[in-house]
Amino acid sequence: MKSLIIDQIEITKNGTVQVRMHKFSSDGDSLGNHRTLITPVGDVDAQIAAVNAHMSTEGFSPVSDSDVARLKTICNVAWTAEVIAAYQAQVAA
């Protein structure tokens, strides 16, 4: 089965987390990247579930639990109360 591996997590100036997943064939060959964004008020589990649902239609296995745990840890550190408040103010403006 093809696989998705989170290989880059970036936090933008407004706190949005950009996630790049590398796609691999069942033989281990590189198939390119898939990207997704999660805002500071977003739901990591819901976004990863959406990615997994979409990528399963192309024969990819779900993002690993360890990759999701690493992503959640980074989001929890990045999304301080101040970052969330600033993001909400930006969206409201």
Side-chain angles (χ1 to χ4, degrees), residues 23-93:
K23 302 185 298 186
F24 292 97
S25 72
S26 55
D27 296 330
D29 296 328
S30 175
L31 299 174
N33 296 311
H34 182 81
R35 290 180 168 80
T36 194
L37 302 173
I38 311 168
T39 67
V41 294
D43 181 332
V44 174
D45 289 322
Q47 188 63 31
I48 293 299
V51 167
N52 285 338
H54 169 71
M55 296 307 291
S56 72
T57 66
E58 297 180 26
F60 285 88
S61 61
V63 176
S64 73
D65 291 342
S66 62
D67 275 358
V68 174
R70 183 168 54 98
L71 174 60
K72 286 175 147 183
T73 297
I74 291 168
C75 290
N76 288 335
V77 170
W79 293 340
T80 63
E82 293 82 12
V83 168
I84 292 170
Y87 179 81
Q88 290 171 326
Q90 176 188 0
V91 170

